[in-house]
Amino acid sequence: MLIQTALSTPLLLSSHSAHRLNPLLFTKRRHSISLSRSWGLALLHPRRSFSVAASENGASSSPELPKSFEFSSEERIYSWWESQGYFKPNFDRGSDPFVISMPPPNVTGSLHMGHAIFVTLEDIMIRYHRMKGRPTLWVPGADHAGIATQLVVEKMLASEGIKRTDLSRDEFTERVWEWKEKYGGTITNQIKRLGASCDWTRQRFTLDEQLSRAVIEAFVRLHEKGLIYKGSYLVNWSPNLQTAVSDLEVEYTEEPGSLFYIKYRVAGGSRNEFLTIATTRPETLFGDVAVAVHPEDDRYAKYIGRMAIVPMTYGRQVPIISDRNVDKDFGTGVLKISPGHDHNDYLLARKLGLPILNVMNKDATLNEVAGLYCGLDRFEARKKLWSELEETGLAVKKEPHTLRVPRSQRGGEIIEPLVSKQWFLTMETMAEKALHVVEKGELKILPERFEKIYNHWLSNIKDWCISRQLWWGHRIPVWYIAGKDSEDDYIVARNADEALAKAHEKYGKDVEIYQDPDVLDTWFSSSLWPFSTLGWPDISAEDFKRFYPTTMMETGHDILFFWVARMVMMGIEFTGTVPFSYVYLHGLIRDSQGRKMSKTLGNVIDPLDTIKEFGTDALRFTLALGTAGQDLNLSMERLTANKAFTNKLWNAGKFVLQNLPSQTDISAWEAVLAYKFDRVETVLQLPLPECWVVSKLHILIDVVTASYDKFFFGDVGRETYNFFWSDFADWYIEASKARLYHSGGDSVASVAQAVLLYVFENILQLLHPFMPFVTEELWQALPNRKEALIVSCWPQTSLPQDADSIKKFENFQALTRAIRNARAEYSVEPAKRISASVVGSEEVVQYISNEAEVLALLSKLDLGNTHFTNSAPGTILSFVGHLFEFFWDVELISFLVDVTSDSSENANQSVHLVASEGLEAYLPLADMVDISAEVERLSKRLSKMQQEYDGLAARLNSPKFVEKAPEDVVRGVREKAAEAEEKITLTKNRLEFLKSSALVSK
């Protein structure tokens, strides 16, 4: 019998596979969708034939697919995409471009999960909008990474026995460029490995000639507006690198240290009159300019307005002042003010007009202000100073204290707050404009909660230190007059020739000039990235006119201020418009325990190693399922589950391919292609399973498209995953076998073939932005592909949906599940077919019986002994009347048991299943279970249950336990006892039923 073939082991994984029980390790979430009986009629987009069809360019592969998707083919597919020019913007189908500027990774970088998530999310956006017909441009590039690159090259030179200072600036810069040409492309190739469909013909580097011109132009214009100035201010100083560093390049770590308590004598007072201060950095006391106490601290009120003597300074006196910022509860409640070496002290000194003393050289040794300690390293000076304070009786005590230590992100050394002459950019006016664009909705930040952080930062903005004391980077376009001592007298120009001409005009023909040795902060050049990469300051450049302003800026939430806000301010300043419409912020990738990945913890997951083991698609799918702005815990379990998803997709593709007509069978293909699923009449005429799955697909397309448009990528992934695995693979593919293996031949099979092909190709299109490689490979294997999946048209929305068929098939599913559950409960052998009587109203019986073969296939029923009727079979002899709810060998089963009698047999015991309201089934017990064996099994179980219950009851009958045990413990035991008692009662009832069945049978 043909139906026996259909009942054989299915090709695809069953719904009870290990990975199915824990899909993707995320919470399932379904949209509630209301369907009406009126459907919109819409025509599918006709597929556009490109000048060179995909199949003619080596993309197509044989339908004889390998056992599983081979990850080694990913690079082949990527090279083919790139060779066909698919990554370039195409204006043939639309004129509204979708543009992203890639956050430029450091040229020194190597791929990590932070890169992997931004590449994944941005590529999803680009691929989606490309398929929607918009011209898409994703501009790739790399940042010259001033400090990081200089460090790498200095280490390389050190291995050759060369110091940077042994070379001239030009010689050193030349060596850096050589290094960049040799190693700088590593990160680019690794990003390609992730499937990034960037337009690599437009790749940019922040030190490219055109981008360098933009940086110089920006500096000159800002200076001409009076927004750039030079001044001495407190900055983060890196002693080893000998440069100022940005706040972003400082990492704070908690480390063990000491809190030093020191006496400051009160001038003019007795030997017993002194203030004790507590400090973690006693070596900075040489820079003290005041001692501060809280104005309401009664301990020190009498000293306010007097003078204190700074220890070890030969009697230098500083005022004792009051300020509400002093923490009365920290240390002794007395604060030493060292504005040259503490950011908070610096702000306080500026507010109060106190002098600023710097006691440290740029190499972190103490200078002449420190007197006899001059020339000592800061940490050596600390030890010596404390020793001498102890000798002089000014040391009170030293106690352990956990310090929050600022370290250089690049070199790892402790950063020193230091007053230094630097170039600054006034930010207040630009910040005000950047606030307005968000307020007016011209710029949307996703998720919206980050708007508060954005607003807070810009409302409390400080001037930006834009200079760095490095040799690698954009040289500051400022020239000084040789022989003049004053550096305040300078010339700003776009190049040396212009600077010399200005100098001649101002100082005469004989003057010589030299350029400022500093370079600009790397963030300065990257703040121009969205428009400098498109040709600015040449506003007539074709790319600038076509693609600016850009559409999206996607990056990590940790650089919202340091990069995103600065791009917004610079974009408005130089182009008059916000540089992008949306900002999408992703979170950090953490390990499975939620910890930040670090080499110290040994929990770093390498994307390239992950790709080798799980494939790029599984990695991308896993990363994309996170929620915008929230950190994502990455685990091997997630990756394993999504690798299984890739395999499931692959197996589904193999099944579809194996069951399509031969490409030479023209008539069969005409029958398949005759189905037009964009037409209401076609959908309504489909058999129930086909109408259901097509309607569900059309709902999915609408939901997923809306989620893509809202940038809800996690929802896209979950919805598509659930439909593919639960609806298509677990239900429709299995149901389709009743058509494909039917004795009716091709005429019956064609509807299933048409639906299988239609649904599967739409699934591939919906998943392509997430999983580009496996979907493209499967797409190319399908027959009649006229174009690559990457440039195919996005599925049309608002296609016909039949809500009535969805409801009917849900009833069909409920019946199938009930029968499957009953089989599992009674441990029926998987291959054994059983009889059944299906009972329902005339309408229900009609549509269920129409799919009798599908029901028999999915429920393992004996089709010849499956009956459909409007009334229960036979006369009810007795009614057990219990709802069994047990955790048996497979899962939780809920069903009713009736004892019935068939009119043709004296006593035929049946299991009565209530699938849904108005739909029931009766399964002959004799078909399913060996009653004697089941009685024996349940008797043993009952005995074990009784033992457990007796133990619980004994505890509850003990006065000592009830009176002395915690209330929640007693309550828990009572609940367990009640539950055990209920299970015992149900098991006894079931045993009585089975024993009576055995007696009747005898």
Side-chain angles (χ1 to χ4, degrees):
M1 181 183 285
L2 285 176
I3 194 68
Q4 289 177 329
T5 305
L7 289 168
S8 62
T9 303
L11 171 69
L12 301 179
L13 296 172
S14 75
S15 61
H16 300 296
S17 71
H19 297 305
R20 188 69 187 102
L21 292 174
N22 191 17
L24 302 181
L25 302 178
F26 58 66
T27 304
K28 290 186 178 181
R29 177 179 161 209
R30 294 192 178 275
H31 292 274
S32 178
I33 300 169
S34 176
L35 300 174
S36 65
R37 283 303 306 266
S38 84
W39 303 278
L41 183 63
L43 296 176
L44 291 168
H45 285 299
R47 282 208 179 93
R48 180 183 173 279
S49 296
F50 279 59
S51 57
V52 182
S55 59
E56 297 173 0
N57 282 283
S60 291
S61 59
S62 167
E64 296 297 326
L65 294 174
K67 184 178 179 180
S68 60
F69 178 56
E70 297 171 351
F71 304 148
S72 58
S73 64
E74 293 175 351
E75 292 181 82
R76 167 182 56 80
I77 295 169
Y78 188 90
S79 297
W80 180 76
W81 283 331
E82 191 173 8
S83 70
Q84 297 304 303
Y86 293 143
F87 299 164
K88 297 178 181 178
N90 187 328
F91 284 85
D92 290 349
R93 286 195 288 161
S95 58
D96 179 25
F98 183 88
V99 185
I100 300 179
S101 300
M102 174 187 287
N106 287 352
V107 71
T108 58
S110 182
L111 196 69
H112 56 67
M113 282 299 172
H115 297 124
I117 192 169
F118 89 66
V119 169
T120 296
L121 293 172
E122 291 173 30
D123 196 45
I124 285 173
M125 299 180 202
I126 286 292
R127 288 179 184 270
Y128 168 68
H129 287 283
R130 182 186 289 123
M131 294 174 74
K132 290 279 283 186
R134 295 179 69 176
T136 55
L137 174 59
W138 187 10
V139 181
D143 192 283
H144 64 277
I147 292 177
T149 306
Q150 184 158 318
L151 269 176
V152 168
V153 177
E154 284 192 29
K155 288 180 181 178
M156 180 189 72
L157 291 172
S159 68
E160 302 172 14
I162 302 172
K163 294 181 179 179
R164 171 171 61 93
T165 51
D166 294 338
L167 304 175
S168 68
R169 183 174 190 139
D170 289 343
E171 288 172 337
F172 177 77
T173 304
E174 186 177 339
R175 292 296 296 268
V176 181
W177 277 109
E178 289 173 2
W179 178 91
K180 188 263 180 187
E181 293 305 314
K182 188 174 182 179
Y183 300 106
T186 300
I187 189 70
T188 295
N189 294 328
Q190 292 172 338
I191 285 175
K192 288 183 177 182
R193 193 67 190 82
L194 284 165
S197 56
C198 311
D199 184 355
W200 294 105
T201 64
R202 286 178 165 88
Q203 187 175 9
R204 300 290 182 258
F205 180 53
T206 47
L207 282 178
D208 284 348
E209 183 179 347
Q210 194 276 317
L211 273 71
S212 295
R213 186 165 70 93
V215 170
I216 300 304
E217 185 66 28
F219 185 97
V220 172
R221 292 190 188 184
L222 290 168
H223 186 270
E224 288 174 347
K225 290 186 71 172
L227 297 176
I228 287 181
Y229 64 94
K230 193 171 189 179
S232 293
Y233 290 89
L234 195 72
V235 297
N236 299 311
W237 185 261
S238 173
N240 287 345
L241 292 170
Q242 292 279 290
T243 181
V245 296
S246 74
D247 291 342
L248 189 66
E249 293 159 337
V250 179
E251 293 182 342
Y252 290 88
T253 59
E254 289 194 349
E255 302 176 18
S258 299
L259 193 59
F260 301 85
Y261 291 80
I262 304 170
K263 293 179 181 179
Y264 279 54
R265 299 192 191 282
V266 178
S270 67
R271 291 184 60 84
N272 294 326
E273 286 190 291
F274 58 84
L275 300 176
T276 301
I277 62 95
T279 179
T280 59
R281 301 164 67 214
E283 70 277 7
T284 62
L285 64 79
F286 299 106
D288 287 355
V289 297
V291 172
V293 297
H294 195 280
E296 296 174 2
D297 194 333
D298 296 336
R299 293 174 295 174
Y300 310 116
K302 63 182 178 180
Y303 297 121
I304 296 173
R306 298 178 66 180
M307 303 293 284
I309 302 172
V310 180
M312 313 305 289
T313 61
Y314 304 102
R316 185 167 66 86
Q317 298 181 11
V318 296
I320 301 172
I321 63 174
S322 65
D323 191 273
R324 292 188 176 278
N325 291 311
V326 176
D327 185 353
K328 291 190 291 183
D329 299 322
F330 176 77
T332 62
V334 184
L335 181 69
K336 60 189 283 297
I337 308 299
S338 310
H341 300 279
D342 182 273
H343 289 284
N344 291 326
D345 290 0
Y346 180 79
L347 294 175
L348 183 60
R350 293 282 301 273
K351 182 181 76 171
L352 300 176
L354 296 172
I356 295 171
L357 278 179
N358 175 26
V359 303
M360 209 166 288
N361 298 311
K362 291 184 177 180
D363 61 357
T365 60
L366 271 60
N367 61 24
E368 63 279 359
V369 176
L372 296 176
Y373 297 87
C374 178
L376 289 179
D377 173 78
R378 51 183 166 166
F379 302 121
E380 292 177 10
R382 181 180 300 175
K383 291 179 183 177
K384 182 180 179 182
L385 176 61
W386 182 248
S387 176
E388 295 186 357
L389 285 169
E390 287 180 315
E391 290 176 6
T392 57
L394 294 175
V396 178
K397 63 178 178 177
K398 180 174 74 170
E399 62 183 20
H401 183 71
T402 301
L403 306 178
R404 188 167 178 263
V405 180
R407 289 191 177 273
S408 168
Q409 187 185 62
R410 302 301 175 191
E413 63 176 326
I414 295 178
I415 292 296
E416 189 67 42
L418 198 67
V419 173
S420 174
K421 185 168 279 191
Q422 302 285 343
W423 289 97
F424 290 86
L425 174 58
T426 304
M427 305 299 295
E428 192 172 347
T429 304
M430 287 194 287
E432 193 174 328
K433 295 176 182 177
L435 284 166
H436 287 327
V437 295
V438 171
E439 184 183 324
K440 292 186 291 185
E442 295 175 19
L443 174 64
K444 290 182 173 25
I445 299 176
L446 306 171
E448 290 184 4
R449 68 177 184 274
F450 283 101
E451 286 186 11
K452 292 182 179 178
I453 298 174
Y454 176 91
N455 292 337
H456 174 75
W457 276 338
L458 290 182
S459 299
N460 297 276
I461 201 164
K462 300 174 185 176
D463 289 354
W464 175 11
C465 175
I466 58 174
S467 52
R468 299 289 181 266
Q469 290 65 52
L470 301 171
W471 281 2
W472 173 248
H474 294 103
R475 192 89 172 263
I476 289 180
V478 170
W479 283 261
Y480 303 101
I481 309 302
K484 281 188 173 286
D485 293 335
S486 175
E487 288 190 355
D488 295 331
D489 200 1
Y490 58 82
I491 293 169
V492 176
R494 289 171 177 80
N495 52 58
D497 291 340
E498 182 182 325
L500 186 60
K502 288 183 176 181
H504 286 168
E505 183 179 343
K506 188 173 182 179
Y507 299 103
K509 296 292 184 181
D510 297 331
V511 301
E512 294 182 3
I513 60 174
Y514 62 94
Q515 191 170 357
D516 193 307
D518 289 356
V519 299
L520 287 163
D521 178 12
T522 304
W523 293 105
F524 187 89
S525 57
S526 58
S527 69
L528 312 176
W529 187 251
F531 47 95
S532 64
T533 52
L534 297 176
W536 187 90
D538 181 8
I539 58 175
S540 64
E542 193 64 28
D543 277 0
F544 186 81
K545 290 192 295 183
R546 273 191 165 187
F547 301 115
Y548 189 82
T550 65
T551 313
M552 168 65 68
M553 174 48 61
E554 192 286 330
T555 190
H557 65 70
D558 53 332
I559 55 175
L560 174 59
F561 173 70
F562 292 102
W563 189 39
V564 176
R566 286 171 176 171
M567 283 189 288
V568 174
M569 289 186 280
M570 292 295 211
I572 297 171
E573 175 67 26
F574 293 117
T575 70
T577 184
V578 65
F580 27 74
S581 302
Y582 298 93
V583 174
Y584 184 102
L585 300 170
H586 66 251
L588 298 175
I589 305 296
R590 298 183 177 274
D591 71 5
S592 58
Q593 300 176 44
R595 300 175 302 176
K596 188 175 181 180
M597 291 186 188
S598 72
K599 293 179 181 178
T600 305
L601 292 174
N603 62 346
V604 174
I605 302 176
D606 188 307
L608 297 177
D609 291 341
T610 305
I611 287 171
K612 289 176 186 175
E613 184 176 356
F614 299 97
T616 303
D617 293 312
L619 173 60
R620 287 172 56 118
F621 196 75
T622 304
L623 294 175
L625 289 177
T627 303
Q630 292 185 6
D631 294 351
L632 176 69
N633 294 355
L634 184 63
S635 66
M636 292 302 106
E637 290 77 13
R638 285 175 182 258
L639 291 164
T640 300
N642 290 332
K643 182 180 179 181
F645 179 44
T646 307
N647 291 336
K648 186 81 169 179
L649 193 67
W650 187 258
N651 287 336
K654 288 170 64 177
F655 177 86
V656 172
L657 284 167
Q658 290 164 1
N659 288 283
L660 291 176
S662 166
Q663 294 198 46
T664 59
D665 191 341
I666 297 174
S667 61
W669 271 105
E670 286 177 347
V672 169
L673 298 176
Y675 288 94
K676 306 299 180 185
F677 298 105
D678 59 329
R679 297 177 182 173
V680 173
E681 58 271 20
T682 299
V683 174
L684 291 179
Q685 289 170 8
L686 292 171
L688 180 60
E690 283 71 22
C691 187
W692 166 78
V693 76
V694 169
S695 296
K696 292 274 283 187
L697 171 70
H698 291 169
I699 293 170
L700 176 72
I701 292 171
D702 289 347
V703 170
V704 162
T705 302
S707 293
Y708 267 116
D709 289 336
K710 295 174 184 175
F711 308 107
F712 293 169
F713 303 122
D715 289 352
V716 171
R718 285 182 282 273
E719 293 288 348
T720 311
Y721 177 97
N722 288 334
F723 172 81
F724 165 74
W725 201 310
S726 300
D727 295 336
F728 183 65
D730 282 358
W731 283 97
Y732 183 69
I733 281 183
E734 296 306 316
S736 71
K737 294 173 184 177
R739 316 256 190 253
L740 299 170
Y741 308 145
H742 193 278
S743 58
D746 292 343
S747 60
V748 175
S750 62
V751 65
Q753 290 169 333
V755 169
L756 282 169
L757 180 60
Y758 174 71
V759 175
F760 189 65
E761 67 181 4
N762 274 277
I763 288 171
L764 294 180
Q765 288 177 303
L766 297 178
L767 278 175
H768 178 72
F770 281 71
M771 310 173 77
F773 292 110
V774 67
T775 54
E776 184 72 80
E777 189 85 330
L778 288 167
W779 178 271
Q780 296 293 339
L782 295 174
N784 306 315
R785 302 299 99 181
K786 295 182 180 180
E787 60 194 3
L789 176 57
I790 188 176
V791 289
S792 65
C793 291
W794 186 255
Q796 187 179 345
T797 55
S798 302
L799 291 169
Q801 306 157 10
D802 184 3
D804 190 48
S805 291
I806 291 174
K807 185 176 180 180
K808 288 177 180 178
F809 195 76
E810 285 173 352
N811 269 350
F812 182 93
Q813 288 175 303
L815 176 61
T816 304
R817 289 192 187 100
I819 296 172
R820 285 175 172 175
N821 289 344
R823 290 177 63 101
E825 164 64 15
Y826 283 96
S827 303
V828 180
E829 293 178 7
K832 184 178 181 180
R833 293 187 296 280
I834 61 175
S835 305
S837 292
V838 178
V839 180
S841 65
E842 185 174 344
E843 179 193 7
V844 173
V845 167
Q846 178 66 41
Y847 68 73
I848 296 291
S849 62
N850 285 345
E851 299 301 335
E853 287 195 35
V854 177
L855 180 65
L857 174 64
L858 298 181
S859 305
K860 303 289 179 68
L861 299 179
D862 180 352
L863 190 58
N865 287 305
T866 300
H867 308 287
F868 300 87
T869 179
N870 301 127
S871 58
T875 305
I876 295 179
L877 297 177
S878 64
F879 182 71
V880 176
H882 290 288
L883 180 65
F884 292 108
E885 293 190 350
F886 295 108
F887 282 98
W888 295 110
D889 297 331
V890 180
E891 56 185 290
L892 180 66
I893 311 295
S894 299
F895 56 90
L896 293 173
V897 178
D898 282 350
V899 181
T900 66
S901 175
D902 188 270
S903 57
S904 62
E905 296 180 26
N906 188 36
N908 180 20
Q909 310 303 320
S910 296
V911 175
H912 175 207
L913 308 176
V914 178
S916 61
E917 188 176 349
L919 180 58
E920 306 171 27
Y922 294 82
L923 308 179
L925 191 61
D927 273 12
M928 298 196 298
V929 66
D930 181 333
I931 296 178
S932 297
E934 184 68 3
V935 166
E936 183 179 354
R937 186 177 73 87
L938 285 178
S939 296
K940 290 179 180 178
R941 182 173 292 225
L942 179 61
S943 176
K944 186 177 180 181
M945 286 180 178
Q946 189 66 50
Q947 288 178 3
E948 292 175 355
Y949 173 77
D950 291 344
L952 294 168
R955 294 179 72 186
L956 292 172
N957 290 330
S958 168
K960 287 184 178 180
F961 173 74
V962 174
E963 293 171 5
K964 294 183 179 181
E967 185 180 341
D968 59 332
V969 173
V970 176
R971 184 171 59 251
V973 173
R974 283 201 177 108
E975 289 173 355
K976 287 181 180 179
E979 184 181 343
E981 188 176 21
E982 184 180 355
K983 287 184 177 181
I984 288 170
T985 302
L986 293 173
T987 305
K988 285 181 177 178
N989 290 337
R990 186 171 183 191
L991 267 171
E992 290 173 10
F993 163 61
L994 290 173
K995 287 176 180 178
S996 67
S997 299
L999 288 173
V1000 171
S1001 297
K1002 291 177 181 178

